[in-house]
Amino acid sequence: MLTHEEIEHATKVLGRRPNDTELAMLDVLWSEHCSYKSSKRWFHLFKTDGENVYLGIGEGAGLVDIGDGILVGVAMESHNHPSQVDPYNGAATGVGGIIRDVISQGCRAVGLMNCLRFGHPSKPKNAYLLERVVRGISDYGNSVGIPMVGGEIEFDDSYEGNCLVNVVCIGVVRPDKVVRSSARTPGHHLVIFGSTTGRDGIAGVSFASETFSDDEEEDRSAIQIGDPLAKKVVVDTLAQLVEEDLVDGLQDLGGGGLTSCAGELAASGGTGVEIDVAKVPLRERDMTPREIIVSESQERMLAVVAPEKLERVLEILIENDTPHAVIGSVTDDGYFTVKENGDIEARLPISLLVGGFPVPERTEGSLPVQPHTMDWYEEPDDYVEEILRLLGSVNIASREWVYSQYDQHVQSNTIVDIGENAGVLEFPLNKRLAFASHCNSFWTLLDPQQGTANSAAETLRNLVAMGARPILIADCLNFGNPERPDSYAQFVEAVRGLGRFSHDFDIPIVGGNVSLYNESEVEGKVRRINPTPQVMMAGIFEAGFAPVRRTLCTPWANVFLIGETLDELNGSEYQRLKLGRVQGFPPAYRPVAEKNAMEAVLNAHRARLIRSCNNVGRGGLAVALMKMVIGSDYGFRLNTTTVPGKAGTLGRALFSETSARYLAEVSESNQKQFLEIMARHNVPVCELALTVADHIADFGEFRVPVDRAEEEFRTSLSRYLE
Amino acid sequence: MWGLMIMAIAVIRFPGTNNENDVMRALGTIPGAEAQLVPSRLGSAALKEADGVIIPGGFSYGDYIRAGAVAAAGEIMEGVKELANDGRPVLGICNGFQILTECGLLPGALLPNTSARFVCRWVYLRVSEQTTAFTEGLEDAVLKMPVAHADGNYYCTENDLTVLNLHGLVPLRYSDENGETVPAVNPNGSIDNIAAVINEAGNVMGMMPHPERASRPSLGSADGLAILENFVRSTKC
Amino acid sequence: MRLIHEGKVKRVFSDPESDDRLIVEFTDAITAGDGERREIIEGKGAVACETTALLFGYLEDKGLATHFIRQLDETRLVCRKVSIFPIEAVCRNLAAGSFARRYGLEDGRPLSRPLVEFFLKSDELHDPLITADAIIRLGLATREELDFIRRVTLAVNYYLGTLLSQVGLRLVDFKLEFGRTDDGDILIADEISGDTMRVWDESGGSLDKDVFRKDKGNVLEVYNLLLEKLKETRPKEVPVRGEVVRVLVMPKEGIKNPPGEVARKALLRLGFEEVEEVRAGKVFRLCLRRAVSPEMLGRIEEMNTRLLANPIAEATYVGFDDNGNCGDSFSGDE
């Protein structure tokens, strides 16, 4: 809802009080969701440029040049609030929205990812939400025919009452086919197509900019219903329009509906727009101009079409049997004019509507300083049980139950399925890209800046482990109410963390969104989500390089541990399982060590020295080793428990979550060259284990029964869902 | 404008079909394969010159009533039936299989998976020892291909099943990597692990696994290409 | 021509030309109070016959199915031979007659929606009210037949009421009888005339048998007036009503139903341990711009087998939706 100040401001600029339609338009465009009014002021901290950045943040998708005239496009977005209220449709339309963002840039959509957060699945309501969200994504994404290549799921009580659904869409386009989201030429037609307009989802963005109350069920009117068939037809139709160079500008209708879509087209083109709502194809009778102009009905696109191309455009739209209409035109007056059968219903300066809001004051509170002490830690009596417990933790266990519901192979470009460190897709000219997304919300809770940078580092390691060099970042920043100083401080600190990371590693951030107000009110008490800056990263492989997987693939090779292991169990999964909560200073972000390890591993990959490789992440060394055995025909026997670094005990070495570490399987003949590369990059390394022909996990002092480990890993999540 | 006179293999695209480009691409790697995409709205007339038809996977018409049901009632299927009765090869993959059973060209029905969820995974397939036009040279082999479907649970009446088994009309069954057709590897609850069915005349086959998604070693398997190659060869007979 | 049946006001003969047909003769008799009062009024048979022919013809034009074939002469109709259900369907828009007396209502009180009642045809028992369950349990009609009869009665109410309103008349209530052909088709039978309906003019004056029942004037005159008025109507202007039909598609008995099984397990997990079986099907709500008739049922059956259901694995059940109205959903063609 517009604040009193905002209405005053609009009245002053207009010289009159805005009418109801205008108020509704301002309400949606000035919502946090559309305007980024609390967050935008910090984006200067991000590295957003780079020599390969073809199109940066600001339009539907960021575009990055991967060489030889091929651009990869990415967009990332949240659909949290709708998914909490109606998990099936909320998640489905989230996927629909992110696809629109990418195709509206002229891209062919080639991959999807989704990152989810829920309360613990042992509670039926949380299991229900997960089941419905996954089904929504699966029904929609599978139907439109875009493969799922990766994602993440994390469970924590803080997401109970406010689940998170973040989605990514990946596209590909050639530079001459890129379509911009701007309306540059007065006199061009505005053509809406894809679906009809109804009352569904009216003011969804304002809804997404409020916190949940106990009666979330009442919020259902703001939900949109997805129609994957219509979306598939839009995808195909659009491909044809783009192929024939028929559109001069394009924007999808998402949050904020026509108001946001046409407003942004005019704002970026420096023009105005005039729309007659009577021409919009409707699916419900008696809709008011206000309802039509802010409706968020799904599967709609708005194209800017030059007069001489209109005939052919309409021909294609008719041929594809998709609802469409010419609803207005681009003007040169800098106004957004809404008419109904010729009568003016609303008229607002574009400069006021798009970004003309009075910047609200936000206060950055101070966050508690976390102690480094680990006095809670006790060396475990039974390492085997601890390792099995970690493998069975819902935050570590296999997600196969989820991702087997996603079509991962449609389009026939999938080189590596979900379940490895990253998913890999083949692009034109045999270029291969890996995609991963990660956020450790326990780290970010304890220290938003360190945690965010380190989550980004872990995402990076997922790519590097497979042999891909990171080239771009997209993000989705999910936080609580920015009007609360402590919540706002979490947000600002996380932005600082991600900003630091992007500069340290020189990886541009080319897309993303911000979702604030992720709080629920349960019995009068506010429950805020853990700060969740979801980081997605893409990396590219050298030509001809076959991605390296994590399962052990030869007997009698050595498994090297790359990087130092420190006493960093605060914020770890081990601590969370022990204490039922996390506390203390989380594993530190160590850019120098991280960069050295990255370069060393990539160099070793380039020389084809590594047979299998794993990132050491959640659960530490023990879990990383076990994951290399699960699904392999082979096993390992630990050579040493004396690892480089300062981990004081075996338990600390096994469960610490220190960053900048990898495990690499290197065959005997390659060891010398491998160790030389490590030394050249100043990376501490130790010969941790030997691979063996038996399917065993021998830690020296103890053995983990592999069949039990596999059982724990494979069934610990699905047991709550079957 | 569709250059129908030179068409050899028609790959039909219904609204919602989404594997047509995969099939075209896989066919493109087979020497001598001439294929053309045919939008279903062009109707049966567009199939007049076709030497064979592939109905690819996807979600024709959103699978909104029942997988394949709306497409099966489409006019273009009259053309497919004519070609089939003429002895031309017809291959339905995934949604295409569902369409072929829905329109009566193949017996049985594809019900929701036992899990009631979509399933995407790699499966092994045991090829029947009886030669068919589509599996020639693969007799008794074990193939690896992915499946991706929500309704792949093959069902038919006892009578139909007897006929299928008696006449060797089940070219592919889900198996383990050694070719054992054990229930544990059945991804969807199909009766007798049936993954593909062929008609008595031997020219119409439906299969749930995706041969086009196993058409290059980099995708994890190229086993599917052999089936498509057989299809191409049979269009030239 | 052989007399088959003699009723209170009609005689039914066999048709020498066809075993499938009958000839119905309207006599000049008029009765009231279960035949306690009976008079002969010359010309009454002819006017009732013509009114019936006119209205049956009109309903046929709209797509409803009646037993009427053609008018043979002034007092006789050629009809299809059907076996008559031993029940009468009465549809009421306003309280009147036995309904008003039964519930102590004043005549003319409007009902919120049209109401259908059934009466058992029995002179001895004075045609008592009978419930739908009793009709089914006594084997007088099946539930499906009764649903259909009910829906046709409501459709006739719409078509007659709309037609009469064109000439300033109100349809208060009316009675229908139904018969079944050898093929199982259910047709509207008997007659529709001043004898079987209540029609009021704008001032509340009766144009029906109430004039005779209550001795309020010349019944022949009002019957003729009703007929004249009917001839002034513009039947073509009455639009065909949309009928809402529900098609329930269920997995056949014995066919596994994974969605239902998964739902059952999920319900058990949520603590509903009483759930023994769940079968999940689909419902289609169709709005058909077509009158309710055996032909419509046949077309729905065709829709089911050709598209809505897979006959191999699914069974269908057709039901009518009383509260449904085609105008509810936005279709753009209205």
Side-chain angles (χ1 to χ4, degrees), chain B residues 28 38 52 73-74 104 133 150 194 196 200:
Chain B
V38 177
I194 290 176
E200 299 223 26

Side-chain angles (χ1 to χ4, degrees), chain A residues 460-477:
Chain A
L460 173 136
R461 285 197 299 278
N462 282 320
L463 302 180
V464 170
M466 299 198 84
R469 178 176 286 278
I471 54 166
L472 67 85
I473 296 172
D475 64 72
C476 207
L477 307 175

Side-chain angles (χ1 to χ4, degrees), chain A residues 45-217:
Chain A
L45 294 174
F46 291 155
K47 174 189 166 61
T48 54
D49 55 349
E51 56 176 329
N52 295 324
V53 177
Y54 186 90
L55 182 65
I57 291 180
E59 294 194 14
L63 299 175
V64 172
D65 192 340
I66 57 170
D68 302 314
I70 297 169
L71 306 179
V72 58
V74 289
M76 185 166 187
E77 205 169 61
S78 59
H79 224 226
N80 305 335
H81 286 66
S83 303
Q84 177 68 30
V85 178
D86 180 345
Y88 180 86
N89 286 299
T93 54
V95 175
I98 204 68
I99 296 170
R100 274 198 313 270
D101 278 341
V102 168
I103 60 174
S104 67
Q105 220 73 66
C107 291
R108 197 156 49 78
V110 298
L112 291 171
M113 300 171 78
N114 63 80
C115 309
L116 314 176
R117 296 287 186 290
F118 301 94
H120 198 280
S122 57
K123 289 194 184 167
K125 167 86 189 199
N126 298 327
Y128 163 83
L129 281 172
L130 171 62
E131 202 274 329
R132 297 303 292 167
V133 162
V134 170
R135 195 174 281 271
I137 294 172
S138 143
D139 279 359
Y140 197 100
N142 296 348
S143 195
V144 181
I146 305 170
M148 193 67 68
V149 297
E152 188 186 40
I153 307 177
E154 194 181 52
F155 299 94
D156 182 64
D157 292 347
S158 73
Y159 302 106
E160 224 175 291
N162 197 133
C163 68
L164 300 187
V165 174
N166 291 182
V167 288
V168 177
C169 183
I170 300 149
V172 63
V173 64
R174 291 185 178 274
D176 60 325
K177 297 295 176 195
V178 170
V179 180
R180 297 298 299 269
S181 313
S182 65
R184 286 161 291 200
T185 318
H188 280 192
H189 299 287
L190 295 174
V191 183
I192 194 170
F193 68 95
S195 187
T196 49
T197 299
R199 288 196 177 86
D200 39 340
I202 282 178
V205 290
S206 318
F207 161 64
S209 305
E210 285 162 23
T211 55
F212 276 115
S213 57
D214 278 345
D215 45 358
E216 66 180 59
E217 304 301 324

Side-chain angles (χ1 to χ4, degrees), chain A residues 461-541:
Chain A
R461 285 197 299 278
N462 282 320
L463 302 180
V464 170
M466 299 198 84
R469 178 176 286 278
I471 54 166
L472 67 85
I473 296 172
D475 64 72
C476 207
L477 307 175
N478 309 273
F479 290 84
N481 183 348
E483 294 158 42
R484 299 183 207 278
D486 52 343
S487 176
Y488 193 58
Q490 289 181 331
F491 168 75
V492 178
E493 275 289 283
V495 171
R496 290 189 183 114
L498 187 56
R500 250 179 92 183
F501 176 88
S502 62
H503 286 288
D504 285 345
F505 286 82
D506 201 25
I507 308 171
I509 297 173
V510 297
N513 92 326
V514 180
S515 168
L516 303 178
Y517 298 94
N518 287 294
E519 296 181 354
S520 55
E521 216 175 288
V522 183
E523 289 156 7
K525 280 176 79 178
V526 173
R527 195 203 307 248
R528 181 194 309 149
I529 62 159
N530 287 352
T532 315
Q534 189 75 38
V535 179
M536 173 269 175
M537 220 176 281
I540 191 162
F541 294 93

Side-chain angles (χ1 to χ4, degrees), chain B residues 132-215:
Chain B
T132 75
F134 302 91
T135 55
E136 207 181 322
L138 302 169
E139 295 81 357
D140 248 351
V142 179
L143 309 178
K144 187 186 170 197
M145 278 179 230
V147 291
H149 56 249
D151 305 271
N153 183 347
Y154 186 78
Y155 167 83
C156 64
T157 60
E158 289 278 323
N159 276 348
D160 281 342
L161 188 62
T162 312
V163 172
L164 288 178
N165 284 327
L166 210 61
H167 298 193
L169 306 178
V170 183
L172 304 171
R173 292 180 202 266
Y174 302 108
S175 74
D176 62 16
E177 58 188 308
N178 304 314
E180 298 299 326
T181 56
V182 290
V185 298
N186 188 331
N188 50 34
S190 264
I191 207 162
D192 281 4
N193 281 30
I194 290 176
V197 166
I198 193 163
N199 66 346
E200 299 223 26
N203 66 322
V204 179
M205 182 167 94
M207 61 188 293
M208 287 317 293
H210 286 276
E212 77 284 6
R213 298 183 186 186
S215 56

Side-chain angles (χ1 to χ4, degrees), chain A residues 258-278:
Chain A
L258 262 177
T259 304
S260 164
C261 170
E264 283 170 14
L265 280 171
S268 78
T271 54
V273 283
E274 187 179 301
I275 285 174
D276 194 327
V277 292

Side-chain angles (χ1 to χ4, degrees), chain B residues 47-133:
Chain B
L47 300 178
K48 282 265 179 317
E49 305 299 324
D51 290 334
V53 170
I54 296 183
I55 309 177
F59 292 75
S60 55
Y61 295 95
D63 277 359
Y64 280 167
I65 289 180
R66 216 169 38 256
V70 182
E75 197 276 333
I76 196 166
M77 290 309 294
E78 297 307 316
V80 175
K81 285 178 195 166
E82 257 172 55
L83 284 176
N85 292 335
D86 225 30
R88 295 282 166 201
V90 174
L91 174 62
I93 303 167
C94 197
N95 195 226
F97 186 11
Q98 294 160 342
I99 293 169
L100 290 177
T101 58
E102 279 286 342
C103 79
L105 276 172
L106 291 173
L110 290 145
L111 303 183
N113 298 345
T114 313
S115 64
R117 293 188 302 271
F118 190 92
V119 60
C120 169
R121 67 155 111 132
W122 287 88
V123 296
Y124 290 98
L125 300 163
R126 171 70 173 268
V127 184
S128 128
E129 56 188 14
Q130 264 124 336
T131 301
T132 75

